[in-house]
Amino acid sequence: MKVELPELPYPKDALEPVISAKTLEFHHDKHHKTYVDNTLKFIAGTDLEKDTLEEIIKKTAKDQSKVSIFNNAAQVFNHSFYWECMKKNGGGKPAGAIAEKINASFGSYEKFVEEFKNAGIGQFGSGWVWLATDGSKLQIIKTSNADTPLTTGLKPLLVADVWEHAYYLDYQNRRADYLTAFVDKLINWDFVNSNLK
Ligand code: MN
């Protein structure tokens, strides 16, 4: 990926009533854009300027002097990935390779849903809940703030943003309701399947 603000893959009102156009307007046009602008500002004139977004994230991940670059660059990646994980009339039981992998890794789709939602609810403060793979098994992980599985060698397949800005206008403090709606009505399983390849 380049360091840039991608267009949303759907109109701003496409995910209503699960996620409102107002939320997507603030989340994409303000929050995500700010992470892009900050990253571009911080890398300007440095040798990171020619790197891809993924390279910038990996190079700055464990460097305390570059924590601001890492936080903004990782948030650019996480948000670009998150938009693709949703679609109108998505969610529910998947088909294809991901369905088999979920059964093999968690026992059933229902167990996956329970673990995914519990991880999202259990993330204290801001962060993300991911479905990721080490190449064989699937795992659910939660990350704090800007942290991303890219730095731990895991391949991300699916993510839900559990920062309050992702759901507060629509659900206020009810993160569990947002996660339930995300799983039941929004997940773009075609995208998740494409990430397995
Ligand atoms: Mn966000």
Side-chain angles (χ1 to χ4, degrees), residues 27 31 35 75 79 82-83 128 161 163 165-166:
H27 201 175
H31 291 281
Y35 298 128
Q75 285 292 78
H79 282 90
Y82 170 64
W83 308 133
W128 302 82
D161 189 343
W163 284 57
H165 67 221

